[in-house]
Amino acid sequence: MSIRNLSIISTMTVIALSASPLLANERAEVSSYQYGTRLDIAKVIRIDEPAPPTCEIVQATMTFVNTQGETEQVSFLKQAQACLRE
């Protein structure tokens, strides 16, 4: 094994290991919103939802920061964006 190959493997290993904490945050448990649930939202980071071509109910996921500075996720049902175009 050449030094170049060893260097490339070492670099890829470091990159993979350093990305693990970032992936762990993305895999955090998503709680389901239920009517009446009190949410502690200081800032919304993003809302992800599927984009079906027809008007239907979809499962969306909101990622937000609470007032303690912790990132949380909650899933909820909503009308798809296609419903707004009809």
Side-chain angles (χ1 to χ4, degrees):
M1 182 176 281
S2 71
I3 293 179
R4 181 174 180 236
N5 288 345
L6 186 59
S7 173
I8 291 171
I9 291 171
S10 298
T11 303
M12 292 178 74
T13 303
V14 168
I15 290 170
L17 292 175
S18 65
S20 295
L22 297 175
L23 294 175
N25 288 341
E26 289 298 319
R27 293 186 191 136
E29 186 175 323
V30 179
S31 60
S32 292
Y33 177 81
Q34 295 193 12
Y35 184 76
T37 301
R38 295 207 180 261
L39 299 175
D40 178 19
I41 301 173
K43 179 181 178 182
V44 174
I45 298 172
R46 70 175 179 268
I47 297 177
D48 299 312
E49 65 179 89
T54 59
C55 180
E56 59 187 78
I57 303 298
V58 295
Q59 183 87 29
T61 302
M62 177 173 57
T63 304
F64 62 94
V65 177
N66 65 22
T67 55
Q68 285 76 41
E70 299 167 344
T71 302
E72 295 185 43
Q73 290 184 319
V74 65
S75 65
F76 57 97
L77 297 176
K78 67 178 286 301
Q79 285 187 326
Q81 291 294 319
C83 299
L84 300 176
R85 294 187 294 259
E86 293 183 355

